[in-house]
Amino acid sequence: MPELLCGDDPEPSDRSPAGPLFVPVRPGPSGYAARLFRTPLGERTAVGFTSARGLAATLGPDQAWIRLAEPALRALAAPLGVTTVTVDPQLSAPAPTPVAPLAPAAVSLRIARTA
């Protein structure tokens, strides 16, 4: 199989640092801890945003955050077995539309008579 050139590779193998990120955190027993999320396929991932506005738009204005460089976020998540860092994810999905309950269908029973 021919080797893909960097320009042809949809996911380059070289990780380029994303720079300082806004990382969502949650309070823990020893201070704050980075929040971990799951990808649509269920893989655990650390998450960072390139702007506070993007973080607030996705996770809400009350979400606490810290600034971390992308390599520091990777190093923080690695001992937990998390090797993926997702930058600027689209984490919000539309709310499900309530469905009205269906009316029960009329059920007819035929009882066989035995003689």
Side-chain angles (χ1 to χ4, degrees):
M1 180 165 124
E3 197 169 321
L4 291 174
L5 299 174
C6 188
D8 296 337
D9 191 357
E11 293 185 42
S13 58
D14 294 336
R15 294 181 187 164
S16 59
L21 297 171
F22 295 85
V23 178
V25 293
R26 60 178 175 75
S30 302
Y32 284 92
R35 287 184 60 188
L36 298 177
F37 295 86
R38 294 204 179 264
T39 66
L41 298 177
E43 181 183 355
R44 292 171 61 196
T45 183
V47 171
F49 293 85
T50 54
S51 71
R53 183 179 294 175
L55 182 141
T58 305
L59 299 175
D62 296 329
Q63 174 61 56
W65 53 267
I66 59 170
R67 293 279 285 181
L68 281 178
E70 183 263 343
L73 181 56
R74 280 188 191 283
L76 187 69
L80 302 172
V82 177
T83 58
T84 305
V85 172
T86 304
V87 177
D88 290 334
Q90 301 297 316
L91 295 174
S92 57
T97 305
V99 178
L102 298 174
V107 179
S108 64
L109 297 174
R110 290 196 318 184
I111 300 173
R113 291 182 134 164
T114 58

